[in-house]
């Protein structure tokens, strides 16, 4: 297994969209693990002490987004250390730093999957590492430029989710998880390192691997993600740089041929693809991002570690280059068992094999000027405006002069966008901000997106309550790929109209009571989706969605009952299908064992959790395009997925062991989240994380 894995490596190609000439080969997994163990074990031993990482950085005068304290409910909070100064991300327009908490939490550490940190309820076609969609409609990606990787984004490093650090000593975080037998193993590996060259300059890297063989035939997922980041935070000049590589590859089995044999060994169940087809999908994503800011009148705040500066004028130049390539391979395109029962019933390019290729590139440059006035601690008002140029490239294979020689279609589209921002803060407990983009000319001319937010902090005897209200108004051209897609057995030629969205939301966070409430509402005109034939369709009327997400943890003595509840309703379930209710609930015993003789201690949790949602017509998965589409023949849900877990923390070392899907075979065989793709049956999973610095 390891040998097969090591034969594939991450490769970097920044050449023409349909060429693979220059590559950077990263170290193989087997050697990497060996070297890391030899290096990390002695360093970890030397670095272990009773100091812990900060749970959150200090906030500054300018209003900053607070980390999700509810996601860390029940944690024995770490105390802040001068050694780890701060961690932050950037706002959507890259003009503001937003503090985030270091992810070193112990409580419910068994929920260590990267996707679980993005959304509480994720739907997979049977195997972690494969394309997913979020059960919460308001967690789903809808921006047109992210269409090709929308179902992979929770795994990836992209320009929209950068994280930076500033630390006085090198910081390293290592995570390894393993589940199942050798033949069906699910493995994940994550490494993060960051260190400062001096007080202003920091660089770091992150490397994530998911290697999941799966319990069913031809189901392997192999995802490798790498990010290099650097930041410079001087008194007048600030710069951020990221370079990301995302390689995601999954074998496509097309789902089970029949549900009748689920009582048998999953490895022996027949699937629709695989065997002669050896179908697989590959997504390649690369990005480079450089942000530069110059603030002539800025001064460093010597009273705090806050990176926000009170400069009256800031000049910014923001450059982002990103490209994506999706490929689908099938060595048996004449597979009548799969293709003749779907819309893909005509061979257009090659009757011997399928090698579909779709490419999208985006290069943008933004120049903007931001103004602000007033004291950061009392009253602050500001505004900014800028101009952004965008150059897009779309490429795909189309039928050529002969059936065996396809042509390449390359389309370039340019745009000019006006962007702006206005904000007002009264102290650090109340404020509002509004941002907007207007496409002036070229591709998407006439599109606009406006976002707004109001916040208010209330101080009580039990702690702070944070209230947020958000709103979005958008009119935008759907992704190019809804209207044009050329593949060996598939063709899209569809005229789209602008989709119009009105969205409003409100949330209340009360950390002292371990409570969070989030309400969202959307009204969408011209909503575009994939119909029952997996073809794009646009609903010309209006469809509304309402959602209420509740999080509450009850604590009695050392017993914790942690609940996440999602309630949703849609006005037209033929267009947008959603379950009425989804629940993730865990009940566990939490205790710290202390040893007087040695002065040592370790944290311990033992409990069970369940994931459940009501019946609904879940989306079906189409491997040829990687899309999820509507269907009305199969309902999924009304089945509990039960896990039993144990978490242990010794200083900065965390460990968990868990029986995943413990009830498989005892609660029936309706363990599907996606039609035709059953979830894995019962298996043992465990994980280990080391966090250290020296």
């Amino acid at each position: 297994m390891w040998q097969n894995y090591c034969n594939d490596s991450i490769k970097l190609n920044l050449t023409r969209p349909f060429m693979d000439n220059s590559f950077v080969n990263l170290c193989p997994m087997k050697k990497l693990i060996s070297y890391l163990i030899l290096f990390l074990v002695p360093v970890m031993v030397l670095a272990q002490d009773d100091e812990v990482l900060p749970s959150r950085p200090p906030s500054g005068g300018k209003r900053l987004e607070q980390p999700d304290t509810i996601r860390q409910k029940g944690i024995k909070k770490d105390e802040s250390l001068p050694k780890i100064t701060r961690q932050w991300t950037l706002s959507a327009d890259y003009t503001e730093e937003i503090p985030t908490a270091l992810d070193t939490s112990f409580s419910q550490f068994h929920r260590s999957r990267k996707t679980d940190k993005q959304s509480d309820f994720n739907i997979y076609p049977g195997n972690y590492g494969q394309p997913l969609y979020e059960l919460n409609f308001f967690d789903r990606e809808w921006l047109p430029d992210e269409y090709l990787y929308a179902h992979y984004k929770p795994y990836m490093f992209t320009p929209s989710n950068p994280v930076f650090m500033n630390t006085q000593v090198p910081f390293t975080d290592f995570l390894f998880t393993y589940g199942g037998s050798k033949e069906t193993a699910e493995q994940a590996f994550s490494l993060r390192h960051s260190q400062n060259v001096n007080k202003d300059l920091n660089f770091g890297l992150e490397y994530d691997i998911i290697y999941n063989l799966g319990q069913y035939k031809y189901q392997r997922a192999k995802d490798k993600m790498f990010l290099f980041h650097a930041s410079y935070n001087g008194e007048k000049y600030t710069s951020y740089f990221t370079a990301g590589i995302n390689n995601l590859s999954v074998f496509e089995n097309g789902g089970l041929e029949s549900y009748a044999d689920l009582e048998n060994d999953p490895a022996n169940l027949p699937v629709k693809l695989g065997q002669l087809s050896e179908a697989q999908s590959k997504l390649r994503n690369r990005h480079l991002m450089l942000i530069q800011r110059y603030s002539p009148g800025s001064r460093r705040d010597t009273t705090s570690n806050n990176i926000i500066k009170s400069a009256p004028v800031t000049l910014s130049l923001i450059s982002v280059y990103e490209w994506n390539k999706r490929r689908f391979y099938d060595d048996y395109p004449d597979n009548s068992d799969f293709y003749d029962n779907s819309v893909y019933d005509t061979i257009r390019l090659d009757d011997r094999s399928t090698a579909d290729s779709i490419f999208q590139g985006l290069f943008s440059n933004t120049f903007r000027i931001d103004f602000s006035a007033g004291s950061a601690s009392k009253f602050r008002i500001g505004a900014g405006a800028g101009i952004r140029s965008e150059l897009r490239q779309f490429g795909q294979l189309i039928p050529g002069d002969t059936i065996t020689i396809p042509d390449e279609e390359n389309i370039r589209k340019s745009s000019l966008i006006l962007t702006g921002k206005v904000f007002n803060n009264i102290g650090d407990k109340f404020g509002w901000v509004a941002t907007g983009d207007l496409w002036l000319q070229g591709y998407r001319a006439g599109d606009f997106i406006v976002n707004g937010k109001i916040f208010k902090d209330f101080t009580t005897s039990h702690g702070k309550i944070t209230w947020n209200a958000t709103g979005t108004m958008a009119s935008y051209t759907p992704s190019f790929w809804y209207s044009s897609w050329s593949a060996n057995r598939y063709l899209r030629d569809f005229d789209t109209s602008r989709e119009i969205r009105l969205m409003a939301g409100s949330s209340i966070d009360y950390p002292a009571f371990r409570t969070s409430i989030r309400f969202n509402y959307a009204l969408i005109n011209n909503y575009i989706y994939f119909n029952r034939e997996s073809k794009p369709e646009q609903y010309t009327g209006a469809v509304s969605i309402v959602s209420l997400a509740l999080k509450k943890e009850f604590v009695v003595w050392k017993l914790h009952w942690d609940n996440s509840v999602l309630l949703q309703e849609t006005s037209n379930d033929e267009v947008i299908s959603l379950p009425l209710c989804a629940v993730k609930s865990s009940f566990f015993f939490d205790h710290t064992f202390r040893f007087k003789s040695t002065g040592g201690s370790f944290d311990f949790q033992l409990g069970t959790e369940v994931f459940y949602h009501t019946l609904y017509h879940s989306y079906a998965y189409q491997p040829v395009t990687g899309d999820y589409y509507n269907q009305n023949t199969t309902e999924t849900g009304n089945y509990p997925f039960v896990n039993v877990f144990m978490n242990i923390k010794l200083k900065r070392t965390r460990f968990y062991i868990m029986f995943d899907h413990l009830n498989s075979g005892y609660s029936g065989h309706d363990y599907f989240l996606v039609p035709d793709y059953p979830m894995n049956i019962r298996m043992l999973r465990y994980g280990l994380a080391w966090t250290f610095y020296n």
Side-chain angles (χ1 to χ4, degrees), residues 335-510:
N335 184 347
S336 59
D337 292 337
F338 179 76
Y339 293 107
D340 287 355
N341 295 322
S342 71
V343 68
Y344 309 97
D345 56 2
T346 302
I347 296 178
R348 303 179 57 252
L349 297 175
D350 192 339
D351 59 359
R352 298 168 300 177
S353 64
T354 293
D356 299 336
S357 184
I358 299 294
F359 172 83
Q360 175 180 307
L362 173 61
F363 181 53
S364 68
N365 282 289
T366 304
F367 176 76
R368 61 181 296 145
I369 304 176
D370 291 272
F371 304 88
S372 62
S375 170
S377 61
K378 296 181 179 179
F379 180 88
R380 189 172 179 83
I381 189 169
I387 195 77
R388 180 170 75 248
S389 65
E390 294 177 341
L391 178 62
R392 291 176 175 83
Q393 181 182 1
F394 305 99
Q396 57 185 330
L397 298 177
I398 60 174
D401 296 333
T402 69
I403 195 170
T404 59
I405 306 177
D407 289 335
E408 295 181 8
E409 178 185 55
N410 286 283
I411 299 174
R412 289 177 172 82
K413 297 177 178 289
S414 60
S415 305
L416 194 64
I417 302 96
L418 178 66
T419 183
K421 176 180 180 179
V422 180
F423 74 89
N424 179 207
N425 294 337
I426 301 176
D428 60 357
K429 294 185 177 181
F430 176 79
W432 58 267
V433 60
T435 62
D437 291 328
L438 173 62
W439 277 256
L440 298 175
Q441 66 178 35
Y443 179 61
R444 297 182 60 184
D447 287 9
F448 68 85
I449 299 177
V450 178
N451 295 298
K453 178 179 179 180
I454 303 173
F455 75 89
K456 172 63 179 175
D457 287 344
F458 302 90
T459 302
T460 71
S461 58
H462 297 286
K464 184 174 67 174
I465 302 175
T466 300
W467 170 74
N468 289 302
T470 59
T472 296
M473 181 169 58
S475 174
Y476 56 92
T477 302
S479 171
F480 172 86
W481 301 112
Y482 282 110
S483 58
S484 178
W485 187 294
S486 178
N488 193 26
R489 300 205 59 152
Y490 182 58
L491 175 67
R492 282 182 200 165
D493 187 8
F494 182 70
D495 292 330
T496 62
S497 301
R498 282 196 183 95
E499 189 171 292
I500 301 172
R501 290 194 179 216
L502 297 174
M503 297 190 294
S506 182
S507 66
I508 296 176
D509 291 328
Y510 198 174

Side-chain angles (χ1 to χ4, degrees), residues 66 86 107 109 150 163 227 229 276 324 329 334 394 474 487 495 516 536 557 570 599 627 648:
Q66 301 298 332
R86 54 182 178 263
S107 186
F109 169 59
V163 177
L227 177 72
H229 61 83
L276 294 176
N324 305 274
Y329 300 96
D334 199 24
F394 305 99
D495 292 330
S516 172
W557 185 58
T570 172
D627 294 315
I648 295 175

Side-chain angles (χ1 to χ4, degrees), residues 72-261:
Q72 300 188 23
K73 43 193 174 294
I75 301 173
K76 299 175 180 60
K77 289 190 176 180
D78 296 339
E79 298 296 331
S80 296
L81 287 177
K83 289 185 177 180
I84 303 297
T85 308
R86 54 182 178 263
Q87 175 180 273
W88 67 95
T89 185
L90 300 176
S91 59
D93 59 3
Y94 303 115
T95 63
E96 182 180 0
E97 286 79 4
I98 302 173
T100 61
L102 285 168
D103 185 17
T104 60
S105 60
F106 163 68
S107 186
Q108 303 195 76
F109 169 59
H110 63 283
R111 297 181 182 177
S112 60
R113 286 177 169 174
K114 190 175 181 179
T115 54
D116 291 338
K117 305 178 189 306
Q118 311 297 321
S119 182
D120 289 324
F121 306 98
N122 297 295
I123 305 300
Y124 308 88
N127 213 23
Y128 179 61
Q130 294 179 319
L132 61 84
Y133 71 88
E134 295 83 358
L135 205 57
N136 189 335
F137 179 84
F138 294 93
D139 288 343
R140 298 176 186 174
E141 187 55 62
W142 56 272
L143 294 176
D145 290 326
E146 299 185 356
Y147 166 81
L148 282 183
Y149 60 78
H151 297 305
Y152 287 98
K153 187 177 178 181
Y155 304 108
M156 298 169 54
F157 299 115
T158 70
S160 63
N161 60 6
V163 177
F164 301 95
M165 289 184 66
N166 192 292
T167 175
Q168 295 178 4
V169 293
F171 168 85
T172 304
D173 191 45
F174 169 81
L175 171 68
F176 176 74
T177 65
Y178 190 96
S181 64
K182 179 180 179 181
E183 295 76 17
T184 63
E186 173 190 314
Q187 302 171 76
F189 165 81
S190 178
L191 174 67
R192 183 184 184 192
H193 177 77
S194 180
Q195 68 181 73
N196 273 54
V197 177
N198 53 46
K199 64 182 178 64
D200 297 323
L201 178 61
N202 174 277
F203 72 89
L205 60 86
E206 299 184 52
Y207 186 31
D208 292 343
I209 297 174
I210 299 170
Y211 188 66
N212 196 344
L213 294 174
Q215 296 180 351
Y216 302 90
K217 287 183 178 179
Y218 215 75
Q219 198 187 30
R220 189 189 75 183
K222 183 174 61 175
D223 305 335
K224 305 180 222 177
M225 292 73 64
F226 175 80
L227 177 72
F228 174 82
H229 61 83
S231 62
Y232 178 84
N233 297 100
E235 292 190 359
K236 299 182 182 298
Y237 177 75
T238 298
S239 178
Y240 297 109
F241 174 78
T242 65
I245 304 171
N246 300 285
N247 289 345
L248 303 103
S249 175
V250 298
F251 285 176
E252 305 283 11
N253 66 18
L256 296 184
E257 289 186 353
S258 171
Y259 295 4
D261 301 324

